[in-house]
Amino acid sequence: MRKVLLLSMLLLIVLTGFAAREITICWASWPPADALLALSEEFTEKTGIKVNGLFVPWGQFMDKVSVEFAAKSPTIDILIADSQWLGWLVEGNHIMKLNDWIKELGINLNDFYPNLLQYYGEYPFGSGNYYGLPCETDAEILIYRKDLFEDPKEKAAFLKKYGYELRPPRNLFEMRDIAEFFTRPEQNLYGIATKFSKDYDVVTWDFGWALWNFGGDYWNPNTLQVKGIVNSAQSVAALEFYKSFVNFAPPGAATYSFDEVNTAMQTGLVAMAIQWAAFAPGFVDPEVSKTFDKVAFMALPPLIEGDPNTAYVPLGGQGIVVSNYSDAKEEVKEFLKWFYTPEIQEKWALYGGLTSFKPVVEDPKFVEMYPWNQALKDSIPRLKDAWNIPIYAKLLTVTQENLNAVIAGTLEPREALMKIAEEHEKILKEAGYK
Amino acid sequence: MKTKMLSDRGIALLFILPTILILVFIVVYPLIWSLFLSFTDYSVVGTEKPHFIGIKNFANILKDEYIWLHFQNTAKYVIMAIAIQFFLGLGIALLLNREFAGRGILLTLVLSPMMLSPIVVGLFWRYILDANWGVLNYFTSLIGLPKIAWLGEKEMAMYALVIVDTWMWTPFMILISLAGLSAVPKELYEAAEVDRASTWFKFRHITLPLIAPLLLVGLLFRTMDAFRMFDLAWGLTQGGPGTATSTISIALYRMAFQNFETGKACAFAYIILILIIGMSNIYIRFLNRLQKRGG
Amino acid sequence: MKIFLTILIILIVAIYIFPLFWMVSSSFKTRVEIFSMPPKFFNFEVTFKNFRRVFYKIAGWGKFAKEVPSEFPRALLNSSIITILSTLLAVTLGTLSGYAFSRFEIPGKSDLLFFILSTRMLPAMVIVVPVFIMYKTLGLFNTYLGMVILYTVFNLSFSVWMMKGFMDEIPKEYEEAAMCDGYTRFQAFRKIILPQTYAGIAATAVFCGIMAWNEYVFALILTSEETKTVPPTIAGNVLKTTGVNWGEVAAASLIFLAPVLIFTFLVRKHLLRGVTFGTIKG
């Protein structure tokens, strides 16, 4: 009798398990993902649909997703995908075109910034086919030590040495001067921490900031020309400039990825840091940072103050895309409907997500919310992205390795860019783009 | 008599067959599959069916200058790591091969690094080796050395990898050596004692010949494991900076799971496989000869 | 001489154990103290928060932050299931095959043995792609069964070779005598031979268990949330908004290490005897 009881209970559990409506969100394993999961509890309360998280380390995020999709696995319903993945996701037929849903759910595309909608969702560019919507709009921002910048003694010394006032940098060269000024190994202080590592995509995007603002680029997205662009005089100048930061960075900076840049700033090792806005909360948290009350945030400076063509900011973050293999499409639809409302988007921002939903961002409340929101808001219209074609990963590997070699001092900038150009041409040709 | 023979054969079959079947299922079958894929342009993330492209994958790999770099890195790492671990392991084992209080606990502690997950070891050593907040640089600064970027400089990164690998895997050689030492019959030493043989003589002529075969087996397993090591290097350096610590396993992983050149990765895997089988064949033959001579 | 040796032992062991000590001490430090320079070896404020964070993580930021259960307990369960089953399977198959290879004339024996050994030489990367494709077709992707079979295979060559070594050590006369007494071959194996190899089985099981417990790449690629083991879980939780909290990594690693350490300590005598027994004569 007890056996029967036990069995029927088990059956009940299994049955209810099957009956429960749930969706799984796949994202990199990092704090915004946990924040989204926490926010989703409200969605569960409202609809009864449970939200699960499948969060993967950054280094294996793409590997994992591609494996799941290659297996046509229904595990993933919603994927928060890097903007560059759009190509392979669409061409592999892994994700849904969302145009019909957008219409049906009444999502107003004017609520998004056009450059972001394009980078996170439109494929190919200009086609009007939307596969994704902005979710986490990340931008590289500058974190600096305001206590050092405002110290009268430092100000006087800086003025004497450089002939102008020490202030939050207004252009790239001021930034380099400041970095040089604060590089004092004997005091265990260095000028700048930025992501030089070959980890994932970090050095490619950090360098992108200098590259684009100097007038260079990784390629011409329209003609797919690489040679003569990534190794143009402007690009070489940009890399020479970017490389000079190595002298003002802490020893071992060639391996700096997300966490090392955080730690360098949090332990008071550097005066400035270039970091994704998603990591900003860690800089003002007294539990983890020694300098929590000494930092300020700003958008990255341009090459020439006031010239929008030299003021690009690397785009990071991810958009929401929907798996074709999902067996819970109705639930996903409800989730999107819930997520893209001003009310929830505002909460998303409060939970530590980076929203770019216009009604929220343009509300005066937004910049008051958190100290880094002004920097983020200033960056949004200036955001720029690189490749999004299916074979982007190969282009990325080559770029990462050669740029990191420049930082490590084993390759000259000109050589490295030449190598990148040649390899990229070869990859594009092999993939049938030329 | 005949029925007994049959039943023996039956048992032999029954005992061996499951092993062989499961190996065929997980190893041989995939290998045949990947042999087929190695002649195609298949990509696991692509939508297209594999196209036959002949030996182009193999040709491309053998032409690629980077590939040889990966082999060089691997060789450098394997030779350094194995040599150090061998001598260090034997040395420490000789020291520990005596009775003293707390030996059991001590031994467990010394052996514990190899029970950690390699990925965790790689990650945690990144903290220990950091140029600015790593504890190792604190110790070196005490003796007046400047900050060393263990993982940031080309030469240093390889040494750092060897150091961490040595920390993790010397215990294996200690264990093997200790096992060997504890099996040497005490009477032999006593006999030598009577002859007033020197410590070195005892080691050279009694200990070493007896433990050599075991040490070689240990060495064989370490070499094979070092050759295919991935988790540790992935946690520690991901092959960086540049390509300084990029071993063949890492190169293969990047090819297969970052560039998704599945066909090419399979071809590369085959080249590695042939090399390893060749190498271990020589090794095992050497081992057999040694054992025949010794025993 | 004796004092010198003792000092040398202490020194080597100290260098050896220091990273472990560092891991333990980090697991009790706050993040700010973890990065303090000069490092704090003993004079830090002890916190247990890192251990709590292994089981409960923080989701959200600022006043919206809340503690939610982490996936670690589930991962620990998954790791245990997969490790125990695959170790049992590998050791059982290894014992059976080891006995057969040791006792019977088998056509092509040395080739078979070399084939079994060669599976150990395979860099795991070589088979990960085809295994993945195969698992996907057979529905073994993201299942306990799939992981158990895989880890069994990884350990099989080691287990067969070790167990064959142990069996070789036991004189044939033992079971011949038993069989004269009326035992069948199988009974002789079970009642006479098997009890003699327990030490060897323990040693083999430790090594197999360690491998299965700690494997990372395959676990990462072939499992999803339901069957994810601990190594990919720890690696996945390394990056926080704050940067890496090494204290939490250390705490999780120590919790993960503890069962292996205890098991090893319990069987340490067998471990030594086992290794000798198995391989001294090859």
Side-chain angles (χ1 to χ4, degrees):
Chain A
M1 189 57 214
R2 256 176 65 192
K3 249 186 192 161
V4 176
L5 206 72
L6 224 92
L7 233 110
S8 51
M9 258 173 72
L10 209 75
L11 200 71
L12 202 75
I13 293 169
V14 171
L15 279 178
T16 45
F18 272 117
R21 302 172 69 202
E22 52 180 32
I23 55 175
T24 297
I25 298 178
C26 177
W27 199 354
S29 169
W30 66 328
D34 291 331
L36 184 62
L37 208 57
L39 176 65
S40 301
E41 276 175 23
E42 290 193 15
F43 173 67
T44 309
E45 267 166 42
K46 205 176 144 192
T47 60
I49 299 168
K50 197 169 167 275
V51 180
N52 302 315
L54 173 60
F55 303 147
V56 193
W58 268 117
Q60 270 81 61
F61 186 25
M62 185 173 172
D63 321 352
K64 179 71 193 167
V65 170
S66 52
V67 163
E68 291 275 345
F69 280 170
K72 300 200 183 346
S73 149
T75 311
I76 300 173
D77 298 303
I78 290 176
L79 171 68
I80 318 283
D82 256 5
S83 52
Q84 316 89 281
W85 296 5
L86 221 51
W88 73 265
L89 289 175
V90 172
E91 306 233 345
N93 205 18
H94 301 307
I95 56 171
M96 275 183 62
K97 192 162 133 186
L98 296 176
N99 288 38
D100 293 342
W101 282 18
I102 291 169
K103 221 180 272 165
E104 195 185 324
L105 297 174
I107 293 172
N108 184 358
L109 290 182
N110 292 326
D111 287 343
F112 301 100
Y113 289 88
N115 58 338
L116 300 182
L117 194 59
Q118 185 173 56
Y119 287 132
Y120 289 126
E122 193 179 18
Y123 188 85
F125 283 173
S127 63
N129 296 331
Y130 293 106
Y131 291 88
L133 291 167
C135 173
E136 169 90 356
T137 305
D138 210 346
E140 297 264 30
I141 56 173
L142 187 69
I143 301 102
Y144 64 93
R145 287 277 299 277
K146 62 177 182 222
D147 61 324
L148 294 177
F149 276 60
E150 284 160 11
D151 185 338
K153 260 191 253 150
E154 302 285 3
K155 271 184 162 338
F158 188 89
L159 185 67
K160 202 170 149 211
K161 186 166 178 194
Y162 295 97
Y164 63 93
E165 199 195 352
L166 174 61
R167 59 191 177 196
R170 298 194 181 166
N171 62 50
L172 293 177
F173 295 100
E174 275 189 24
M175 192 165 148
R176 185 162 68 178
D177 287 347
I178 296 169
E180 183 187 48
F181 178 68
F182 282 114
T183 300
R184 301 159 188 172
E186 68 289 353
Q187 292 176 22
N188 208 19
L189 180 69
Y190 298 88
I192 188 161
T194 176
K195 300 179 285 302
F196 284 141
S197 145
K198 64 183 279 188
D199 205 12
Y200 192 48
D201 64 1
V202 300
V203 69
T204 303
W205 258 249
D206 277 32
F207 168 58
W209 159 65
L211 177 69
W212 293 321
N213 293 342
F214 268 79
D217 206 335
Y218 285 117
W219 69 340
N220 179 335
N222 302 316
T223 63
L224 304 190
Q225 187 193 343
V226 180
K227 232 179 201 166
I229 292 183
V230 78
N231 59 339
S232 65
Q234 290 97 319
S235 302
V236 174
L239 190 53
E240 299 273 4
F241 171 83
Y242 185 67
K243 191 195 166 191
S244 69
F245 277 171
V246 176
N247 305 325
F248 315 130
T255 58
Y256 275 25
S257 184
F258 311 114
D259 45 296
E260 287 87 355
V261 171
N262 280 341
T263 307
M265 193 73 206
Q266 288 161 339
T267 52
L269 189 66
V270 290
M272 293 183 289
I274 300 177
Q275 181 61 293
W276 295 108
F279 291 96
F283 294 109
V284 296
D285 184 345
E287 266 194 40
V288 299
S289 175
K290 245 166 57 180
T291 58
F292 69 96
D293 53 352
K294 302 188 178 81
V295 292
F297 304 87
M298 63 177 283
L300 285 175
L303 178 70
I304 300 160
E305 206 183 341
D307 177 359
N309 289 325
T310 68
Y312 292 109
V313 173
L315 169 84
Q318 295 79 31
I320 285 187
V321 301
V322 180
S323 165
N324 256 339
Y325 315 113
S326 161
D327 47 14
K329 293 223 171 91
E330 280 311 307
E331 286 80 2
V332 172
K333 210 196 263 183
E334 276 184 62
F335 183 85
L336 293 185
K337 187 177 171 188
W338 166 82
F339 191 61
Y340 288 107
T341 51
E343 185 205 344
I344 294 303
Q345 285 290 320
E346 191 186 320
K347 276 222 173 114
W348 173 223
L350 283 168
Y351 267 74
L354 300 173
T355 182
S356 59
F357 205 58
K358 259 190 196 167
V360 178
V361 174
E362 286 173 2
D363 187 324
K365 269 195 307 205
F366 181 71
V367 293
E368 303 295 321
M369 243 182 234
Y370 291 121
W372 52 86
N373 275 11
Q374 184 68 53
L376 187 66
K377 189 177 176 180
D378 292 345
S379 302
I380 285 176
R382 297 163 50 189
L383 289 170
K384 186 173 162 78
D385 204 1
W387 330 278
N388 71 347
I389 53 174
I391 51 153
Y392 108 92
K394 276 191 216 176
L395 304 177
L396 180 65
T397 310
V398 172
T399 317
Q400 283 288 107
E401 237 154 51
N402 284 297
L403 289 180
N404 186 243
V406 170
I407 300 302
T410 52
L411 262 185
E412 284 306 307
R414 185 179 298 278
E415 278 176 84
L417 293 175
M418 192 64 205
K419 261 192 170 167
I420 293 174
E422 276 168 6
E423 291 280 322
H424 281 195
E425 291 281 351
K426 213 168 88 190
I427 292 167
L428 288 168
K429 201 182 252 164
E430 270 173 23
Y433 282 93
K434 302 196 163 187
Chain B
M1 193 66 202
K2 193 160 183 227
T3 49
K4 200 176 163 196
M5 280 296 291
L6 258 179
S7 95
D8 268 10
R9 191 181 277 175
I11 285 183
L13 206 65
L14 197 71
F15 279 14
I16 292 179
L17 213 56
T19 301
I20 301 297
L21 280 181
I22 199 171
L23 284 177
V24 167
F25 172 62
I26 289 288
V27 179
V28 177
Y29 187 51
L31 276 179
I32 294 170
W33 204 325
S34 72
L35 183 64
F36 160 70
L37 291 180
S38 68
F39 293 103
T40 68
D41 60 354
Y42 181 64
S43 168
V44 81
V45 295
T47 42
E48 288 185 39
K49 291 244 173 313
H51 298 121
F52 186 76
I53 54 167
I55 58 159
K56 204 170 142 205
N57 285 328
F58 291 90
N60 279 345
I61 290 168
L62 295 175
K63 266 194 318 211
D64 191 339
E65 51 177 321
Y66 275 113
I67 297 291
W68 298 113
L69 200 76
H70 300 312
F71 277 107
Q72 277 170 23
N73 284 337
T74 311
K76 235 195 267 176
Y77 151 75
V78 171
I79 291 170
M80 277 200 283
I82 300 300
I84 297 174
Q85 285 162 29
F86 179 78
F87 290 109
L88 207 60
L90 183 59
I92 296 179
L94 284 170
L95 279 177
L96 292 179
N97 188 33
R98 63 198 78 221
E99 287 303 321
F100 54 87
R103 186 169 177 263
I105 294 269
L106 201 74
L107 212 57
T108 313
L109 279 175
V110 170
L111 295 184
S112 52
M114 71 179 200
M115 291 157 207
L116 281 161
S117 182
I119 183 83
V120 168
V121 170
L123 286 170
F124 196 75
W125 273 82
R126 254 168 63 185
Y127 165 52
I128 294 177
L129 293 174
D130 189 276
N132 297 295
W133 49 81
V135 69
L136 186 61
N137 267 5
Y138 170 73
F139 288 130
T140 55
S141 76
L142 289 182
I143 53 169
L145 292 175
K147 282 180 182 175
I148 303 168
W150 291 98
L151 302 174
E153 276 162 32
K154 212 178 146 214
E155 290 298 314
M156 277 302 164
M158 181 55 87
Y159 296 134
L161 184 63
V162 171
I163 289 175
V164 179
D165 194 75
T166 300
W167 179 73
M168 183 161 184
W169 289 112
T170 306
F172 182 76
M173 289 312 293
I174 298 179
L175 189 70
I176 294 277
S177 310
L178 265 181
L181 289 172
S182 66
V184 178
K186 294 270 183 303
E187 304 81 57
L188 289 179
Y189 290 121
E190 280 157 16
E193 211 70 46
V194 171
D195 293 343
R196 306 194 166 200
S198 68
T199 313
W200 168 249
F201 182 89
K202 280 189 278 181
F203 176 74
R204 175 70 189 80
H205 292 281
I206 301 175
T207 318
L208 203 57
L210 276 170
I211 63 171
L214 185 60
L215 288 184
L216 281 168
V217 171
L219 214 54
L220 172 71
F221 275 97
R222 271 310 298 140
T223 312
M224 293 189 310
D225 284 356
F227 213 84
R228 45 180 216 158
M229 183 266 315
F230 172 81
D231 293 4
L232 184 72
W234 189 253
L236 194 66
T237 61
Q238 299 210 341
T243 48
T245 55
S246 183
T247 59
I248 45 176
S249 278
I250 287 183
L252 188 56
Y253 182 80
R254 285 196 190 284
M255 205 183 273
F257 286 99
Q258 287 191 335
N259 296 352
F260 293 103
E261 298 168 290
T262 312
K264 196 173 163 195
C266 289
F268 187 32
Y270 256 90
I271 294 174
I272 297 171
L273 190 64
I274 291 165
L275 266 170
I276 293 186
I277 290 187
M279 258 176 37
S280 24
N281 235 328
I282 296 170
Y283 211 97
I284 288 173
R285 242 176 240 164
F286 175 69
L287 200 73
N288 277 339
R289 223 176 51 204
L290 212 84
Q291 273 179 354
K292 270 191 197 120
R293 219 173 49 197
Chain C
M1 187 64 184
K2 198 152 193 192
I3 293 174
F4 171 74
L5 277 183
T6 314
I7 291 175
L8 196 60
I9 290 180
I10 292 173
L11 198 71
I12 286 177
V13 170
I15 292 176
Y16 221 85
I17 293 178
F18 181 77
L20 281 175
F21 160 74
W22 200 234
M23 191 178 254
V24 174
S25 86
S26 301
S27 70
F28 292 107
K29 286 183 196 169
T30 64
R31 189 163 186 275
V32 173
E33 285 197 301
I34 275 176
F35 289 113
S36 70
M37 256 305 151
K40 297 191 171 169
F41 294 100
F42 298 103
N43 52 332
F44 57 87
E45 211 180 306
V46 173
T47 171
F48 294 97
K49 216 177 205 167
N50 294 321
F51 287 92
R52 189 177 172 79
R53 286 284 161 274
V54 174
F55 295 98
Y56 297 95
K57 58 182 179 182
I58 297 287
W61 162 244
K63 59 181 194 275
F64 290 91
K66 52 185 151 188
E67 251 183 2
V68 295
S70 75
E71 60 270 69
F72 192 81
R74 175 68 194 258
L76 210 52
L77 179 72
N78 290 341
S79 274
S80 309
I81 293 174
I82 292 169
T83 301
I84 291 172
L85 290 182
S86 72
T87 305
L88 274 178
L89 202 59
V91 173
T92 311
L93 290 178
T95 310
L96 296 179
S97 307
Y99 179 75
F101 278 121
S102 163
R103 289 298 192 265
F104 303 124
E105 279 310 314
I106 294 157
K109 184 152 121 183
S110 61
D111 289 335
L112 263 180
L113 274 170
F114 183 73
F115 159 72
I116 291 174
L117 184 67
S118 69
T119 59
R120 166 97 179 192
M121 305 165 199
L122 231 55
M125 288 305 144
V126 175
I127 54 165
V128 69
V129 176
V131 164
F132 160 67
I133 301 172
M134 185 169 81
Y135 269 32
K136 163 185 129 185
T137 333
L138 296 178
L140 286 173
F141 181 72
N142 189 23
T143 60
Y144 288 132
L145 182 64
M147 294 314 287
V148 169
I149 294 180
L150 196 70
Y151 288 164
T152 304
V153 167
F154 285 173
N155 279 324
L156 210 46
S157 66
F158 180 75
S159 158
V160 170
W161 273 68
M162 285 281 278
M163 291 315 295
K164 177 183 172 293
F166 295 124
M167 302 290 181
D168 285 345
E169 291 289 306
I170 303 167
K172 272 189 181 152
E173 290 75 31
Y174 276 38
E175 72 238 69
E176 274 164 16
M179 276 149 71
C180 282
D181 289 348
Y183 280 49
T184 64
R185 168 69 82 171
F186 187 75
Q187 279 170 330
F189 165 70
R190 222 190 54 178
K191 298 225 169 94
I192 308 291
I193 302 299
L194 211 51
Q196 304 239 5
T197 56
Y198 284 156
I201 288 178
T204 311
V206 168
F207 285 109
C208 293
I210 288 174
M211 184 269 136
W213 189 245
N214 290 327
E215 201 278 337
Y216 171 67
V217 182
F218 279 88
L220 181 83
I221 289 175
L222 296 177
T223 63
S224 283
E225 48 188 330
E226 298 87 355
T227 55
K228 189 152 93 177
T229 59
V230 175
T233 309
I234 293 181
N237 285 339
V238 159
L239 194 63
K240 307 277 172 183
T241 325
T242 52
V244 178
N245 189 341
W246 294 109
E248 285 171 35
V249 175
S253 308
L254 288 173
I255 295 172
F256 188 53
L257 174 66
V260 193
L261 219 49
I262 293 168
F263 188 63
T264 314
F265 183 70
L266 291 178
V267 302
R268 68 189 185 283
K269 288 241 168 65
H270 297 303
L271 207 62
L272 270 189
R273 214 167 81 89
V275 175
T276 338
F277 213 163
T279 33
I280 189 74
K281 280 195 184 149

